[in-house]
Amino acid sequence: VVGDVILANRLIKAGGTEKNPLVRWVMERLGSSWWMVKIPIAALAILVAANAVEPWGYVGLGVAAAVHLYAVVHNWRQLRT
């Protein structure tokens, strides 16, 4: 989550735009504090995963980690070009 937020902020400052419409909506309303919405979402995901029947908690966390890794790699590639 941290890498996603840092790189997304750098891209926005460099003139990029957020592609996720929900995140873009949050950014428009919260301005520079947009990333604070991700904290309770991440906490909820961890809480749900910790209480899920095995192996589904691990599967859920793995999917969430993969999505965030994709966002970080995508943002990093965009910054390099």
Side-chain angles (χ1 to χ4, degrees), residues 23-56:
V23 175
R24 187 172 52 243
W25 181 85
V26 171
M27 287 176 154
E28 290 168 357
R29 275 136 190 90
L30 297 181
S32 63
S33 299
W34 71 270
W35 59 271
M36 294 177 77
V37 172
K38 288 196 168 201
I39 294 170
I41 293 171
L44 179 62
I46 291 168
L47 182 65
V48 168
N51 291 298
V53 177
E54 285 191 35
W56 297 111

Side-chain angles (χ1 to χ4, degrees), residues 12 16 19 22 34 37 48 53 71 75 77 80:
I12 299 297
K19 301 297 183 201
L22 180 59
W34 71 270
V37 172
V48 168
V53 177
N75 290 347
R77 287 181 175 166
R80 287 185 35 198

Side-chain angles (χ1 to χ4, degrees), residues 2-29:
V2 174
D4 178 24
V5 170
I6 290 170
L7 292 174
N9 280 337
R10 286 186 182 174
L11 272 173
I12 299 297
K13 287 179 184 175
T17 58
E18 175 60 49
K19 301 297 183 201
N20 181 327
L22 180 59
V23 175
R24 187 172 52 243
W25 181 85
V26 171
M27 287 176 154
E28 290 168 357
R29 275 136 190 90

